[in-house]
Amino acid sequence: MRKLLFQLALGLLALPSTVFAAFGITSSSGVVTVDSGAGLVIKINSSSGDITSIVYNSKQLQDSSKFTHIGSGLGSVTTTTSISGNYAKVTLTTSTLIQT
């Protein structure tokens, strides 16, 4: 019994203290989510370009009353995403501006 408890304790110590999601980009219900896979998750409104959430290690860093965006009065944007190796790319395009 003691040996089993010791093995269980060693197994628990081997687990990471924080479990992160996988690196990647997802899109759902008008929100693009970029997950670094290392504790940073950014959510972007895909129709306005507003950054609606920045979470780092479970702490919300974005003021929910004032979203971050690429400019004032842009209207709508077209959002495209891609992944190349270890890089996630989100591009927001209007008739007069391209923000990557």
Side-chain angles (χ1 to χ4, degrees), residues 25-26 43 54 69-70 82 84 97:
I25 300 173
T26 58
K43 294 186 178 189
I54 302 171
H69 47 81
I70 59 175
S82 64
S84 178
L97 176 71

Side-chain angles (χ1 to χ4, degrees), residues 47-48 50 69-77 94-97:
S47 61
S48 69
D50 287 339
H69 47 81
I70 59 175
S72 297
L74 290 177
S76 64
V77 299
T94 71
S95 61
T96 59
L97 176 71

